[in-house]
Amino acid sequence: MREGPCPLTSDIDREMFRAALSGARAWLLPVLALACASIVTAWLLADTPLERLTFAGSVVVSAAVAVFFGVRLAQEGKRRHERLLTLAGIVETTGDGVVAARLDRTITAWNSGAENLFGYTADEMIGGSVVRIVPPGDRHSLQDNLEQMLEKNGMHTYEVKRQRKDGSLVDVQITLSPLRDDNGQVVGISSIIRDISERRRLEAEREQLLAREREARADAENARALVEEQNRYLLKLDRLKDDFVASVSHELRTPVTSINGYVELLMEGEAGSLNEEQTSFLGVIRRNSERLLRVVGDLLFAAELDARTVELARAPVDLAALIADARDAARPLANERQIELTMDARTVSTIEGDPGRLGQAVDNLLSNALKFTPPGGSVALRVFETSGGVHLEISDTGMGISSEDQAQLFERFFRTEQATNAAIQGTGLGLSIVAAIVEAHGGSIDVESEVGFGTTFRVVLPIGRPAETLAT
Amino acid sequence: MAQKILVVDDDKDIQRLLALRLGSAGYETAFASDGITAISAARQQAPDLIVLDLGLPAGDGFTVLERLQALPQLAGIPVIVLTARESAETKARALEAGAERFVAKPFESGALLEAIAAALSA
């Protein structure tokens, strides 16, 4: 017999040969016996050479038939043998555990897959009980699953834990099938055992990832809800602020209306004629009332700048005329303070802008110049045009501004130390508002100054560029 | 016969100021300090013109305007709106609600009288 690659081949070979032989014996013996009997009988009865020849021929034929059947049987056996080898090879090389047992749980087969999976060798397990790989406390599941298999009368698959030789547990999937005898009776159980710990691990990982994703999504949702809430809150604050500005506007201007109104009545003599002093005092009240209004206006404008709700008018503005008006309005104060006020205005192109606001800006700069210049000093106004636009310059011979202060000059509520020390009135809003107005018109403002000598403010406004509103 | 002006303002000082000014200019005056009184006064007194402070408390200023427009017998009376709020938005809203003219507070009496004369002759 040839030795096959499978280690069990030689054993199986001998088995199969013996089996084939025992099978063949059943046939051969009677045939041989019959052949011998007929040979002896024929020989005794044969008289003539012809009869002896016939007899010899029949002997040869019988022998041939016998050999033929013998070879056939041997070939059949060999085929079965090879088929068995192939199946045995599959069972041995599969990674899964293949275990066969009788109904009383004694193990009759234990492949190398089962050896690797559980750590017990075939020698250790064959003849022993399946119970050995069942974790304590789980023994009842054997009976349960056997019954289910019998009920189904076919394959029954389930997942369970089994115990290795070293005591560790392993997650497995078991498929039970009934083993039947020739009569169809179930005489044993075949089980295919697959290690599913890897699958379990991947499932757990996936579950973790999904859980993390769910968490992340919940966080994102929370964050979004929070942002939405904050937005709502900000909008509410914004609206409250606008309402506040509107009501402050009303609440401050209403009393001023009465102050101005009654002062006006008095000054017109509606309550009797006035002497000079009374008229003068009333003038003071009036002036301060106007000042109050201006401060209120500045504050509200600043608030509007914050809220970006400033509306600018759009109209053609002649800056030369604007400066001239400002100078005329400031002349009484200049005279009072004995400051020389001069103007040099060239003809300039009209620009588009808000005449009211631009006027306010110029008034502001001019009033500052007068405020910070001592008696005997001078303030000069200039208007001219270059390719860069229309230029406005206001120079004074006042106390000047230090370079440190120049850096902060246009900030809201900034007042120089000199201003505070000299008790010069102002809220500190003026220049920030001037800057805002100039910038809203697309222009620029700069300051040049030296402490003790004077200051020049230069404003450049572009020609032909429409005034932008500050509303976004 | 002198034309009658109904002044609606919650500030008593302003009421008195207007009484003096409008009286000197030859107008007859009537007064209301809140929205409800304003409407009933308008019904009862049948003024030729109404001077209305938009800043009446509780948003009543606009309410009065709207109610005046809603009532057919009062819708024809010209309304001059006085207010400390200068925004273009307020102005537009007032004119849309039926105000004839808009005068800002604090006002110069001359400007107010001019506006009244113009509204009455229209």
Side-chain angles (χ1 to χ4, degrees), chain A residues 128-323:
Chain A
S129 172
V130 170
V131 162
R132 215 185 292 175
I133 60 166
V134 178
D138 210 21
R139 304 278 151 87
H140 63 88
S141 71
L142 279 180
Q143 184 61 26
D144 291 342
N145 285 299
L146 172 63
E147 279 169 16
Q148 284 192 53
M149 179 200 77
L150 292 173
E151 246 178 67
K152 284 187 188 175
N153 204 18
M155 287 199 313
H156 168 59
T157 307
Y158 58 100
E159 287 176 17
V160 81
K161 284 198 202 297
R162 286 289 176 256
Q163 191 169 43
R164 295 199 187 91
K165 185 175 182 183
D166 64 7
S168 64
L169 294 178
V170 57
D171 288 301
V172 292
Q173 181 191 67
I174 304 184
T175 301
L176 297 179
S177 313
L179 289 172
R180 299 177 198 280
D181 62 10
D182 294 330
N183 296 328
Q185 282 288 94
V186 179
V187 294
I189 313 142
S190 139
S191 51
I192 314 243
I193 308 177
R194 175 166 288 183
D195 182 345
I196 55 170
S197 9
E198 184 60 23
R199 171 154 72 89
R200 281 282 155 83
R201 192 184 62 80
L202 287 173
E203 276 173 5
E205 246 178 52
R206 186 165 156 271
E207 193 47 52
Q208 227 185 26
L209 282 173
L210 282 175
R212 228 176 283 158
E213 195 195 307
R214 272 194 298 270
E215 241 179 66
R217 213 175 299 152
D219 281 340
E221 186 52 44
N222 283 346
R224 196 191 58 81
L226 189 65
V227 166
E228 241 182 55
E229 202 185 299
Q230 283 176 337
N231 278 348
R232 273 196 297 269
Y233 181 65
L234 286 173
L235 280 172
K236 189 173 163 195
L237 278 183
D238 217 32
R239 216 172 316 133
L240 282 175
K241 192 183 185 182
D242 287 344
D243 290 343
F244 177 71
V245 168
S247 43
V248 161
S249 167
H250 179 264
E251 293 307 312
L252 285 173
R253 288 186 168 140
T254 300
V256 170
T257 306
S258 283
I259 295 173
N260 286 358
Y262 286 92
V263 164
E264 205 182 1
L265 280 172
L266 283 170
M267 282 178 112
E268 287 169 9
E270 294 286 333
S273 50
L274 302 167
N275 61 38
E276 239 181 82
E277 218 180 4
Q278 285 167 333
T279 311
S280 162
F281 288 177
L282 286 170
V284 170
I285 296 173
R286 177 105 203 205
R287 239 193 352 266
N288 280 278
S289 175
E290 293 297 325
R291 206 176 115 207
L292 183 61
L293 268 184
R294 268 202 307 278
V295 168
V296 168
D298 279 356
L299 280 168
L300 287 171
F301 188 61
E304 281 174 349
L305 282 174
D306 265 351
R308 301 176 190 284
T309 57
V310 171
E311 299 154 4
L312 290 182
R314 285 190 194 196
V317 178
D318 177 5
L319 284 163
L322 196 91
I323 286 257

Side-chain angles (χ1 to χ4, degrees), chain A residues 394-472:
Chain A
I394 298 172
S395 312
D396 65 56
T397 58
M399 57 173 65
I401 306 163
S402 71
S403 22
E404 292 92 42
D405 287 344
Q406 281 175 44
Q408 299 178 70
L409 204 58
F410 296 100
E411 278 170 34
R412 192 174 294 177
F413 300 124
F414 177 74
R415 305 204 68 220
T416 63
E417 216 178 291
Q418 293 98 308
T420 319
N421 288 344
I424 291 175
Q425 289 143 348
T427 54
L429 276 177
L431 282 177
S432 69
I433 289 175
V434 168
I437 293 171
V438 167
E439 274 157 31
H441 284 80
S444 65
I445 180 166
D446 281 298
V447 62
E448 197 188 297
S449 183
E450 205 182 319
V451 175
F453 285 95
T455 308
T456 300
F457 280 93
R458 295 181 219 277
V459 172
V460 183
L461 293 167
I463 305 161
R465 206 163 124 193
E468 293 150 22
T469 60
L470 291 174
T472 43

